[in-house]
Structures are given as C-alpha cells and as structure tokens.
Amino acid sequence: MASEEQQPVKTICPYCGVGCGIQVNPGEEPGDMRFMPWGEAPVNEGKICIKGGAATQVVNHEDRLTDPLIKEDGEFREATWEEAYELIVSEMERIREEYGPDAMGFYGSSKTMNEENYLLQKLARRYGTNNVDNCTRMCHASTVWALRTSLGAGAMTNSMADLREEADVFWIHGANPGEQHPIANSVYFRQAVLEGATVIQVDPHANKTTRSFKIDETDRHMHLQVEPGTDIPLLNVVIKTILEKHEENPEEGWIDEAFIEERTEGFDHLKETLDGFDKEAAAEECGVSLEDIELAAEKYASADSAAIFTGMGMSQHACGVDNVQNEINLALITGNLGRPGTGVNPLRGQNNVQGTCDVGAMPNVLPGYQLVDDDEARKSVEEVWGFDVPAEPGLTNVEISHEFGESVKGLYVMGENPVMSEPDSNDVAERIQELEFIVAQDIFMTETAKYADVILPATTWAERGGTVTNTDRRVQRMRPVAKVHENTKHDLEIVSEIGTRLFGEDGGFDFEDPEEVFEELRLVCPSYHGMTYEALGEEGIQWPCYEEGDEGDQYLYEEHFDTESGLGHIEGVSHTPPAETPDEEYPLILTTARLEEHYNTGTMSRRSPTLNRQHPENFVDIHPNDAERYGIEDGEQVTIRSRRGEITVEAQVTEDIKEGSIWTTPHFAAASANRLTNDVLDERAKIPEYKAAAAEIEVG
Ligand code: SF4
C-alpha cells in the first residue's frame, strides 16, 4: 500500500489512441514506479492491454539519455545544457541568415503532448516557416483530409461509447483494433457484437480482430479478405449494389433519400461515376466473391445505425483520400451520419495523434485546422501571437526529407524517428547525412538521433504533465509521477528556452508550465476554447467545446456539416491501383501492419522486456501455396527484396494472408519493413503508400 507521500497518480497510457486511464504508483525511489489499474477511468473502465501494463518499463530503462550530447569529429561527447542551447541557437540563426527560414524543417510527434506540439509549431512559425509536421502524416493524413473537406472536421465523427450502445453494424475497414486498439476492441466493439451487433471486417490479412469476432456460427461476422489496394472497387460494388436495390425496391429504404436531399451535395456525381460500373469484374479484382460483397452491402444498408471504422489499410495508399471519401459516400447515401451509432471513425494510432493535428503541428493548418492560406484565420492567430505567420503552406515531413541537403539544410526533431518511420528508409538514412545541422530531442538514442549534431535528453510520459487528445476527441490530462534523471528536461521547457533565446523574453515563448501554454492554445483553437485544466478534471472533454461550461460532444453533425455549404460532400471515386503492382521481377505484393506488442519504430516497446519477449524479431506471413512455389518452410529465414532494399526475417507459413501477398511489420531496426516500402505520395494529403509494394522473396 502506498504511503501518503506515494499516492498513485492518475494519468493516461502513453501508447495508442484509445487513451486508457492508468494509475502509476511512484514507489520508494524515482524509477521504482509501477503500473496500477484505474477502475473508474473514463475510457477503459479499468481494463488495460499488454502495452499499457508495461508502459512504466521504459521510464527507468538503462538506455535513457541523461545528459545533452554534442557531436565532435563524428563522436558524441557530454555537454552542458548551456553549450547545447548556444550551439542550437547559433546554428538556427546561421541557417536562416544563409538560406532563409524554409531551410529548416521541424518534426513534432504524436508521442508528445498538445502543449509541446503547440509550442514547437509556434517556434517554427516564429522562425518564419510552415515546414512543420508530425507523424500523423504517415498514418491518417488522408483520412483527415477527406473528413475535413467533405464533413468539416478531421476526426472521429462519433465516440466509442455511443457506438457501443447504438451501432447495429460495425464496418471495420483496413483497421485491426484487436491488435492495435485492444481495449477499444474488447470493451466496446466486441461487447456490442456479443450483444447482437454485426461486424464486417475488410482486410487483406486475417488477424486478431478477425479471431476476436468468431463468436458464434452465425453470419454476424464477415471477413472480406481483399487484395491489397482494391478498397475503392470493393466499396464501389457495395455502393452500386445499394443503388441498384433502391431502384428495384424504393420503399425498402436502401438509401436515405431525405437525408441525401436535405443534407448532402454531389449525389449525381457518384451515380455518374458508377454508370456502367462492372460489379463482377470489380469483385474479381478485389479477390472477394460478389455474393459476399452484396451480402455485406445489405447488412450495412439495412441497419438502423451503421458505423464505419477506418484504419491505415485505407489511409496509407497513394489513393488514401479517395479511399476514405468512398467510405464517406457510403455513410452519406445511407444517412449514417449525425446520429449516435453511425459515422466514419478513424482509429488513431498514437496516444496524441489527434491532438498533434488539433494544435496545428502541420504545414497547411494553424491550431484548430485553420488554413494558413486563409487570410482571416491567419490574422486572428497572428493577433494573439504578435508576429506574422507565412501565408504559404510548408512542406510535409516526407517532402522535408526529400529535400534534405537540397532546400532543407537543418532539422529539429522532437520525439520522432524518421530514419525508421519513413518509407524507403535506406534512402532517408543516406539523405539525412546531407543536412548541415540536426537537433534530436528524445528519451533514447534513436536510429535518427545517431545522425544528430546535438541530442537533448527529454523526460518520459510519466515525468511531465500536459494534455493529450485520444481517438474520439477526448482531451485528457496526463500528470507527472516523478522525475527519474535530474539533468533531463521536459520537451516544453526545452522548446520554451530555445524560443526565448531566439526571440527574446517578449517573443512569446516564456511559459512557466503546461497550463499556461494551454491557456494560450485555447485562445487560438476554437474547438478547445471552452476547456480549462480544471474543467478537464479526470473525465476529460470531447471537443468541440466552444464555451466554458460546455460538456463537449459525443457525436458531430447532428444539424449540419461544418463545410462551407453546411452539406456533406459526396464525390464518386474510381479505382487507382497501387503505384507498384507485381511483375516478373517482383511477383508479390508486400503489405505492412503493426503488432499489439510493439509501437511504431519500437523505440520504447523494443526496450520493454515484457513486450519484446512476445516478438523479439520481425517475421513475414506467406501463404502456403507461395511458400511451396518458393521452396520456403515454416520458420525458415528468408530475404524479401523490393526496388528499394532488402530485409531478412523468419517466414510464417499461414493462410492468414492471401496467395500472392506477403505481410510484415515496421517495428524492428534490424529488418524494418520500411526498407522496402514505397515513398510515392497521395497527391493531396502527401501520405506515403506503405500498404502496397512489389516484392520478391527467397530462402536465406
Ligand atoms: Fe494503452 Fe491503447 Fe492498450 Fe489502452 S488499448 S492500454 S491506450 S495501448
């Protein structure tokens, strides 16, 4: 039992976007801290997955960075904070003088908090550039784009709670919550299915989600195992089926005519796009029987309330925006928006991936998704900040890395690991060496930090306070437990100090604590305007919260969409195949995804004994027919090659993956999938196509 001085601290799990509440017992000494359940936590009702339970293991890990490091003659040496700050400020000033402000790039991170990302994007803009981005670019940039332009806000339209209570059908497309959002899957989705809801999963890979819904012998759980990159034709078959059935039997309500008439625009465009669309040919291209797709369409359209969940299987394509637009089309024509139990709901990966975007750590938007090239919006932010913001959108993070050594000469990385997280990562590792100056601010020596000129040791999730925004827009407070290493500093403290040294005490960076930053954030971020630390309390608040006293919204768009016309935008989309398709040289299609026990580039999870024990190394799933064709035995070492690189991993021969496709993960530095992935981008959202690359495989 904790003594009075050692009361458990209520905070939020640092891993996925579900945002589970946990408690941490500080223990006797800093670093003895231990996980404890938080029974009344607002999101997870005291339940926790393996990652959450092991989260304290990274806090006192022996690999922690404990002092600033400066590289001299290719080697790091310990430095004082004063030396590190002086070098950073002088190099940032030099780069701006020699090349202009757009020669710097800034990477925020969804592993860090709202206040920290807010201050970093403000630093970039005060420096004079919009070249600031975060890892959302890699996971849901396309989803945010499609939702923002067609509905109004780049976020989940509904909430896990209203979906569990009200949804009759869960359409889970390109997402694997059983693995990546385990508590959402078990506490919310599976519970709803146990109580009678139907789940339709669309995914090229059979996975923990598939198995978690094998509850009985009924057809209340369907898995449409599509070929990678055929989501548009699949949804077009669904939509075309619904339109045909409506024409045959208008009284059966396959579409919601009143909703389409009163609340949407663009329905004719969708119908025109599907004129002459060949459902049979499309189903064949998807690798799913037409009968199954039609049955799924019927289940979705006939439900009173049907909800779509969308994941990176949809977003991480060069046609990611179109993929999500087609989900929006399906929801709009059936009136499945603006009510409990409906909507289009992105499942966000990291614990603050929603908030990092909300606070404007992106090159085209300011806090609250106000466009930088909207003069009125920009001026309203400039008035609070007291300086001008460049009116041209900046570069996204993959665009920044494509410019390493060209227009971009310097890089500030807060909590990110682009050398492993970006596609074609061998090339990123080459190009990053062309930079003149790199600052890395992190808790461990990451694969990216090794290339830095200055490394700043930051505190971990359990050592500092602030807010994070989870996948269903709930802004929650994280609270500090104890600081473990004296000479580390909080991200906020570091950015604040650098900002003050660059721009003076009146430059807008002199903050005492996270709450003071949050007070400024809510002035410039309309959907956070009514929130205070006090009001957030232990429950948090789901944005939008425009006035103090507002309780926030469980679901959006009850009366109108937040588009210029107030209408939901329907737009027909046609199939764009992946940029690389199999050929003689690379006859397989490689797709990628994450594991329950690991977290992105594994910087934290690979250092957690509990997590790493489950999966210490990468592996590849291959279908038995392909394994036979290439002479591969289960458990054998194989080399996978793409046009960009190769990795050697263990083969798992399994029918979980379709013939012609292989599946692997990005978590392991020694054999990361991103050495193989393609850095082709979605034209609008600039998200890379992680989910489909041509590859070959051989034993050895
Ligand atoms: Fe943490 Fe996500 Fe697991 Fe909840 S589901 S404990 S937020 S990793």
Side-chain angles (χ1 to χ4, degrees):
M1 179 105 176
S3 69
E4 209 179 333
E5 300 73 50
Q6 299 164 338
Q7 286 305 303
V9 176
K10 291 188 168 95
T11 188
I12 305 301
C13 171
Y15 285 116
C16 89
V18 177
C20 295
I22 58 176
Q23 293 193 91
V24 180
N25 184 329
E28 294 293 331
E29 298 288 334
D32 285 352
M33 55 184 76
R34 290 284 174 273
F35 159 78
M36 291 174 64
W38 172 6
E40 297 80 39
V43 172
N44 49 315
E45 300 168 1
K47 307 209 175 42
I48 207 81
C49 77
I50 188 169
K51 276 211 288 280
T56 54
Q57 291 176 351
V58 295
V59 179
N60 195 29
H61 194 280
E62 59 183 7
D63 291 352
R64 282 284 304 277
L65 294 165
T66 55
D67 296 284
L69 300 172
I70 289 179
K71 194 179 272 169
E72 275 175 4
D73 302 325
E75 299 289 326
F76 285 114
R77 66 160 176 89
E78 269 185 28
T80 63
W81 278 97
E82 188 57 35
E83 281 179 287
Y85 283 142
E86 276 182 14
L87 181 58
I88 292 166
V89 168
S90 70
E91 278 298 285
M92 284 178 70
E93 282 175 339
R94 178 189 66 78
I95 286 171
R96 189 170 51 177
E97 212 165 284
E98 279 184 33
Y99 306 107
D102 288 335
M104 275 298 291
F106 295 79
Y107 286 177
S109 172
S110 304
K111 283 185 283 195
T112 56
M113 301 185 199
N114 287 327
E115 294 77 359
E116 297 154 356
N117 282 293
Y118 171 75
L119 211 58
L120 186 78
Q121 61 81 34
K122 186 178 173 188
L123 180 75
R125 282 156 174 153
R126 181 77 174 89
Y127 185 80
T129 183
N130 282 316
N131 289 350
V132 57
D133 207 359
N134 75 90
C135 40
T136 305
R137 184 69 48 199
M138 327 305 259
C139 57
H140 270 298
S142 43
T143 318
V144 168
W145 184 287
L147 289 172
R148 186 171 56 75
T149 53
S150 291
L151 302 179
M156 253 175 96
T157 58
N158 287 61
S159 300
M160 288 180 283
D162 82 68
L163 293 163
R164 176 174 62 183
E165 301 309 321
E166 305 285 345
D168 303 309
V169 167
F170 289 71
W171 184 289
I172 301 177
H173 201 139
N176 179 9
E179 189 108 45
Q180 289 139 16
H181 305 88
I183 295 302
N185 198 59
S186 59
V187 173
Y188 292 91
F189 311 153
R190 193 166 183 278
Q191 190 55 38
V193 172
L194 283 171
E195 288 167 17
T198 292
V199 66
I200 296 156
Q201 185 196 7
V202 187
D203 203 304
H205 193 233
N207 47 37
K208 282 189 183 169
T209 302
T210 325
R211 290 182 265 281
S212 74
F213 291 119
K214 293 262 173 255
I215 289 163
D216 56 30
E217 294 308 311
T218 69
D219 62 1
R220 285 194 296 114
H221 35 78
M222 293 182 73
H223 177 204
L224 307 183
Q225 198 169 8
V226 280
E227 297 290 347
T230 61
D231 306 284
I232 290 173
L234 185 124
L235 282 174
N236 278 344
V237 175
V238 171
I239 293 169
K240 179 89 177 173
T241 301
I242 290 171
L243 296 177
E244 285 172 352
K245 296 283 184 190
H246 175 72
E247 259 192 47
E248 284 163 24
N249 297 298
E251 71 289 347
E252 286 183 1
W254 285 78
I255 63 173
D256 187 334
E257 283 184 314
F259 190 90
I260 294 169
E261 174 66 27
E262 288 159 25
R263 300 207 49 193
T264 72
E265 60 190 8
F267 184 48
D268 287 343
H269 183 265
L270 176 68
K271 286 194 291 187
E272 279 160 26
T273 306
L274 294 179
D275 238 12
F277 176 75
D278 183 342
K279 289 201 311 181
E280 272 186 33
E284 203 178 316
E285 187 162 22
C286 298
V288 182
S289 83
L290 179 58
E291 201 182 17
D292 280 355
I293 307 177
E294 287 178 337
L295 179 61
E298 182 181 345
K299 286 174 184 298
Y300 179 88
S302 61
D304 286 340
S305 302
I308 294 171
F309 295 84
T310 187
M312 293 182 225
M314 289 297 267
S315 59
Q316 289 178 334
H317 284 282
C319 59
V321 172
D322 282 348
N323 277 346
V324 179
Q325 178 62 50
N326 228 12
E327 295 177 308
I328 294 169
N329 292 340
L330 176 60
L332 284 172
I333 64 167
T334 52
N336 276 305
L337 271 159
R339 293 185 285 121
T342 65
V344 179
N345 300 288
L347 290 165
R348 312 302 299 262
Q350 308 194 42
N351 95 332
N352 195 32
V353 73
Q354 182 66 54
T356 308
C357 302
D358 296 348
V359 304
M362 295 202 291
N364 60 330
V365 296
L366 295 163
Y369 302 95
Q370 302 174 88
L371 297 170
V372 292
D373 51 9
D374 176 334
D375 291 346
E376 205 180 313
R378 196 178 62 256
K379 282 201 172 65
S380 73
V381 176
E382 287 171 343
E383 264 170 37
V384 175
W385 286 353
F387 59 84
D388 290 347
V389 172
E392 287 291 311
L395 301 175
T396 64
N397 48 11
V398 179
E399 289 175 321
I400 289 172
S401 76
H402 283 169
E403 284 296 314
F404 285 167
E406 303 291 332
S407 69
V408 174
K409 308 291 186 187
L411 187 67
Y412 194 118
V413 187
M414 181 176 79
E416 265 302 293
N417 192 9
V419 166
M420 253 189 91
S421 63
E422 292 198 4
D424 193 4
S425 59
N426 288 338
D427 194 42
V428 179
E430 285 286 316
R431 278 185 280 111
I432 201 167
Q433 297 177 58
E434 301 298 315
L435 290 170
E436 293 181 12
F437 187 67
I438 306 169
V439 183
Q441 185 171 313
D442 216 306
I443 59 173
F444 293 121
M445 179 67 81
T446 64
E447 287 68 23
T448 301
K450 287 176 187 157
Y451 294 101
D453 296 282
V454 184
I455 298 179
L456 303 175
T459 48
T460 63
W461 65 275
E463 297 168 277
R464 60 196 212 276
T467 59
V468 289
T469 309
N470 80 346
T471 194
D472 65 2
R473 297 172 278 104
R474 186 182 297 269
V475 182
Q476 303 189 93
R477 286 185 62 187
M478 291 186 76
R479 296 175 174 82
V481 182
K483 194 169 168 185
V484 175
H485 296 290
E486 206 184 325
N487 203 26
T488 55
K489 288 186 191 292
H490 305 321
D491 289 303
L492 198 68
E493 214 180 334
I494 299 170
V495 178
S496 170
E497 181 65 30
I498 291 171
T500 302
R501 283 174 183 243
L502 278 167
F503 308 114
E505 283 184 6
D506 298 327
F509 292 89
D510 190 14
F511 293 97
E512 278 294 302
D513 55 32
E515 186 170 7
E516 213 183 314
V517 178
F518 191 82
E519 284 298 303
E520 182 181 293
L521 161 64
R522 71 193 193 96
L523 287 179
V524 291
C525 183
S527 55
Y528 284 46
H529 197 63
M531 297 179 194
T532 63
Y533 267 27
E534 193 184 347
L536 291 176
E538 288 186 358
E539 292 286 306
I541 295 175
Q542 287 173 280
W543 64 255
C545 174
Y546 297 116
E547 302 293 337
E548 284 187 37
D550 281 359
E551 289 178 359
D553 284 342
Q554 269 207 347
Y555 63 94
L556 306 176
Y557 316 128
E558 186 167 9
E559 284 163 15
H560 59 82
F561 292 98
D562 290 332
T563 53
E564 226 168 270
S565 62
L567 301 172
H569 181 68
I570 297 172
E571 186 175 320
V573 293
S574 301
H575 183 34
T576 316
E580 283 187 351
T581 47
D583 57 20
E584 226 170 85
E585 201 180 351
Y586 296 101
L588 297 166
I589 225 40
L590 167 80
T591 191
T592 63
R594 294 166 299 151
L595 298 167
E596 178 176 1
E597 297 81 5
H598 280 289
Y599 188 60
N600 300 337
T601 62
T603 307
M604 297 199 292
S605 57
R606 281 186 276 126
R607 289 182 168 89
S608 161
T610 304
L611 300 177
N612 207 46
R613 203 177 298 129
Q614 305 294 318
H615 283 293
E617 287 173 355
N618 202 4
F619 58 93
V620 62
D621 278 3
I622 182 166
H623 189 275
N625 294 349
D626 288 325
E628 196 183 332
R629 184 170 309 123
Y630 297 106
I632 296 167
E633 301 285 334
D634 189 44
E636 204 166 15
Q637 291 289 300
V638 292
T639 296
I640 311 169
R641 276 186 207 93
S642 78
R643 290 186 172 84
R644 291 154 291 280
E646 65 178 47
I647 58 173
T648 300
V649 294
E650 184 182 303
Q652 285 193 177
V653 178
T654 169
E655 290 188 357
D656 282 353
I657 190 76
K658 289 182 84 127
E659 190 174 349
S661 298
I662 52 176
W663 178 101
T664 191
T665 86
H667 306 300
F668 304 90
S672 165
N674 285 332
R675 295 191 191 175
L676 312 172
T677 48
N678 193 349
D679 63 354
V680 62
L681 304 178
D682 180 287
E683 211 172 89
R684 287 165 287 179
K686 314 286 185 192
I687 191 170
E689 187 153 75
Y690 289 103
K691 288 294 190 250
E696 63 160 354
I697 194 166
E698 67 178 6
V699 174

